[in-house]
Amino acid sequence: MGDLIRMSITMEKHLYEHMQNLLQLHGYENRSEFIRDMLRSRLVELEWERDRTVIGTITMVYDHDQRELNRKLMELQHQMHDNILATTHVHLDHNRCVEAVMIRGGAGTIQRLANQLRQQKGVLHVSLSMSTLGAEFRAEHPRPNHAEKV
Ligand code: NI
Protein backbone atom coordinates (compact mmCIF):
# COMPACT_ATOMS: atom_id res chain seq x y z
CA MET A 1 0.00 0.00 0.00
CA GLY A 2 1.36 3.42 -0.94
CA ASP A 3 1.78 6.40 1.34
CA LEU A 4 -1.51 7.60 2.73
CA ILE A 5 -2.42 11.20 3.29
CA ARG A 6 -5.03 12.14 5.84
CA MET A 7 -7.23 15.16 5.11
CA SER A 8 -10.37 16.68 6.46
CA ILE A 9 -13.26 17.75 4.26
CA THR A 10 -15.92 20.37 4.84
CA MET A 11 -19.32 20.10 3.20
CA GLU A 12 -22.92 21.17 3.62
CA LYS A 13 -25.03 19.06 5.96
CA HIS A 14 -27.49 17.98 3.26
CA LEU A 15 -24.63 16.85 1.04
CA TYR A 16 -23.19 14.91 3.94
CA GLU A 17 -26.55 13.20 4.46
CA HIS A 18 -26.70 12.28 0.77
CA MET A 19 -23.23 10.79 1.08
CA GLN A 20 -24.23 8.75 4.12
CA ASN A 21 -27.23 7.38 2.18
CA LEU A 22 -25.01 6.44 -0.74
CA LEU A 23 -22.56 4.73 1.57
CA GLN A 24 -25.35 2.55 2.92
CA LEU A 25 -26.91 1.96 -0.46
CA HIS A 26 -23.65 0.74 -1.99
CA GLY A 27 -22.45 -1.11 1.06
CA TYR A 28 -19.33 0.90 1.79
CA GLU A 29 -17.77 0.27 5.14
CA ASN A 30 -16.03 3.59 5.40
CA ARG A 31 -16.16 7.05 3.95
CA SER A 32 -12.54 7.11 2.78
CA GLU A 33 -13.11 4.10 0.57
CA PHE A 34 -16.24 5.70 -0.87
CA ILE A 35 -14.47 8.97 -1.68
CA ARG A 36 -11.48 7.15 -3.19
CA ASP A 37 -13.79 5.18 -5.49
CA MET A 38 -15.65 8.33 -6.49
CA LEU A 39 -12.37 9.98 -7.37
CA ARG A 40 -11.26 6.97 -9.40
CA SER A 41 -14.55 7.05 -11.34
CA ARG A 42 -14.01 10.71 -12.08
CA LEU A 43 -10.47 10.01 -13.29
CA VAL A 44 -11.85 7.41 -15.70
CA GLU A 45 -14.42 9.94 -16.97
CA LEU A 46 -11.64 12.44 -17.58
CA GLU A 47 -9.82 9.83 -19.66
CA TRP A 48 -12.96 9.41 -21.76
CA GLU A 49 -13.21 13.14 -22.24
CA ARG A 50 -9.61 13.28 -23.39
CA ASP A 51 -10.21 10.34 -25.72
CA ARG A 52 -7.51 8.31 -24.05
CA THR A 53 -7.17 4.65 -24.90
CA VAL A 54 -9.59 2.58 -22.86
CA ILE A 55 -11.12 -0.87 -22.95
CA GLY A 56 -14.79 -0.81 -23.82
CA THR A 57 -17.37 -3.54 -23.75
CA ILE A 58 -20.47 -3.10 -25.85
CA THR A 59 -23.34 -5.43 -25.10
CA MET A 60 -26.16 -5.45 -27.59
CA VAL A 61 -29.38 -7.37 -27.85
CA TYR A 62 -30.92 -7.60 -31.29
CA ASP A 63 -33.53 -9.31 -33.35
CA HIS A 64 -31.83 -11.49 -35.94
CA ASP A 65 -35.01 -11.74 -37.99
CA GLN A 66 -34.55 -8.10 -38.90
CA ARG A 67 -33.60 -8.03 -42.57
CA GLU A 68 -29.97 -7.19 -43.32
CA LEU A 69 -29.20 -6.49 -39.65
CA ASN A 70 -26.64 -9.25 -39.16
CA ARG A 71 -24.72 -8.11 -42.23
CA LYS A 72 -24.84 -4.47 -41.14
CA LEU A 73 -23.65 -5.21 -37.58
CA MET A 74 -20.83 -7.35 -38.93
CA GLU A 75 -19.81 -4.64 -41.37
CA LEU A 76 -19.64 -1.99 -38.63
CA GLN A 77 -17.43 -4.26 -36.54
CA HIS A 78 -15.16 -5.18 -39.44
CA GLN A 79 -14.52 -1.48 -40.02
CA MET A 80 -12.86 -1.51 -36.60
CA HIS A 81 -11.11 -4.86 -36.86
CA ASP A 82 -7.86 -3.41 -35.51
CA ASN A 83 -9.62 -2.37 -32.30
CA ILE A 84 -11.89 -5.31 -31.62
CA LEU A 85 -10.34 -7.78 -29.22
CA ALA A 86 -13.10 -10.35 -28.93
CA THR A 87 -16.78 -10.91 -29.52
CA THR A 88 -19.10 -13.37 -27.89
CA HIS A 89 -22.43 -14.23 -29.42
CA VAL A 90 -25.21 -15.97 -27.52
CA HIS A 91 -28.56 -17.03 -29.05
CA LEU A 92 -31.07 -15.88 -26.45
CA ASP A 93 -34.14 -17.52 -27.98
CA HIS A 94 -35.62 -18.17 -31.45
CA ASN A 95 -35.08 -14.68 -32.72
CA ARG A 96 -33.08 -12.66 -30.21
CA CYS A 97 -29.30 -12.63 -29.92
CA VAL A 98 -26.92 -10.96 -27.50
CA GLU A 99 -23.44 -10.00 -28.53
CA ALA A 100 -20.65 -8.67 -26.31
CA VAL A 101 -17.85 -6.87 -28.10
CA MET A 102 -14.60 -5.96 -26.35
CA ILE A 103 -12.75 -3.06 -27.90
CA ARG A 104 -9.51 -1.28 -27.20
CA GLY A 105 -9.28 2.25 -28.52
CA GLY A 106 -10.01 5.93 -28.01
CA ALA A 107 -13.00 6.47 -25.75
CA GLY A 108 -14.68 8.68 -28.34
CA THR A 109 -14.21 6.11 -31.09
CA ILE A 110 -15.74 3.39 -28.94
CA GLN A 111 -18.69 5.62 -28.07
CA ARG A 112 -19.26 6.33 -31.75
CA LEU A 113 -19.34 2.62 -32.56
CA ALA A 114 -21.82 2.00 -29.74
CA ASN A 115 -24.03 4.78 -31.10
CA GLN A 116 -23.85 3.43 -34.65
CA LEU A 117 -24.84 -0.02 -33.46
CA ARG A 118 -27.67 1.46 -31.38
CA GLN A 119 -29.13 3.22 -34.40
CA GLN A 120 -29.61 0.05 -36.45
CA LYS A 121 -33.19 -1.09 -36.93
CA GLY A 122 -33.76 -4.30 -35.01
CA VAL A 123 -31.19 -3.52 -32.30
CA LEU A 124 -33.22 -3.69 -29.09
CA HIS A 125 -30.66 -2.54 -26.53
CA VAL A 126 -27.04 -1.43 -26.41
CA SER A 127 -25.04 -0.79 -23.27
CA LEU A 128 -21.47 0.41 -23.09
CA SER A 129 -19.04 0.17 -20.24
CA MET A 130 -15.51 1.50 -20.34
CA SER A 131 -12.52 0.77 -18.22
CA THR A 132 -9.25 2.58 -17.90
CA LEU A 133 -6.11 0.61 -18.69
CA GLY A 134 -5.22 1.37 -15.09
CA ALA A 135 -1.70 2.70 -15.49
CA GLU A 136 -2.36 5.82 -13.44
CA PHE A 137 -3.71 3.80 -10.54
CA ARG A 138 -0.92 1.25 -10.56
CA ALA A 139 1.88 3.77 -10.60
CA GLU A 140 0.72 6.32 -8.09
CA HIS A 141 -2.39 5.08 -6.37
CA PRO A 142 -2.15 1.40 -5.55
CA ARG A 143 -5.46 0.11 -4.23
CA PRO A 144 -5.48 -0.92 -0.64
CA ASN A 145 -6.07 -4.63 -0.05
CA HIS A 146 -4.87 -5.50 -3.54
CA ALA A 147 -1.53 -7.14 -4.23
CA GLU A 148 0.69 -4.85 -6.24
CA LYS A 149 1.80 -6.16 -9.58
CA VAL A 150 4.40 -4.27 -11.57
NI1 NI B 1 -27.81 -15.64 -32.40
Side-chain angles (χ1 to χ4, degrees):
M1 196 158 160
D3 292 339
L4 294 180
I5 292 165
R6 185 178 289 275
M7 63 177 183
S8 66
I9 298 175
T10 309
M11 67 176 83
E12 291 99 329
K13 188 166 180 276
H14 74 93
L15 208 52
Y16 174 82
E17 283 162 2
H18 276 303
M19 185 182 73
Q20 289 300 102
N21 287 338
L22 285 174
L23 282 167
Q24 267 200 327
L25 198 67
H26 297 287
Y28 280 90
E29 283 172 16
N30 69 65
R31 287 191 288 264
S32 293
E33 194 188 330
F34 174 75
I35 289 169
R36 281 197 296 265
D37 271 351
M38 221 164 55
L39 205 53
R40 287 189 190 103
S41 298
R42 184 64 191 130
L43 284 169
V44 173
E45 281 173 15
L46 284 172
E47 296 218 325
W48 297 3
E49 286 162 18
R50 292 185 200 128
D51 203 24
R52 289 267 177 85
T53 300
V54 297
I55 298 288
T57 304
I58 297 173
T59 306
M60 60 179 167
V61 177
Y62 64 89
D63 178 356
H64 85 176
D65 284 341
Q66 181 68 44
R67 219 171 139 260
E68 291 288 285
L69 181 60
N70 267 321
R71 193 187 59 77
K72 187 73 199 169
L73 295 177
M74 205 58 76
E75 204 176 283
L76 285 168
Q77 293 186 50
H78 273 269
Q79 283 167 13
M80 292 188 65
H81 61 90
D82 278 339
N83 300 86
I84 293 182
L85 304 170
T87 64
T88 300
H89 183 111
V90 175
H91 313 301
L92 280 181
D93 57 23
H94 286 292
N95 56 338
R96 285 178 309 152
C97 303
V98 60
E99 210 160 288
V101 185
M102 279 190 79
I103 312 148
R104 179 188 186 132
T109 309
I110 293 173
Q111 259 164 342
R112 272 192 297 281
L113 176 66
N115 288 338
Q116 281 177 317
L117 293 169
R118 193 174 281 129
Q119 283 160 20
Q120 304 307 313
K121 199 171 176 215
V123 172
L124 306 170
H125 182 73
V126 172
S127 74
L128 166 63
S129 73
M130 289 204 265
S131 172
T132 167
L133 299 186
E136 77 286 10
F137 299 144
R138 207 171 50 229
E140 293 164 39
H141 309 285
R143 291 199 64 154
N145 310 321
H146 283 65
E148 277 187 64
K149 285 180 201 160
V150 181

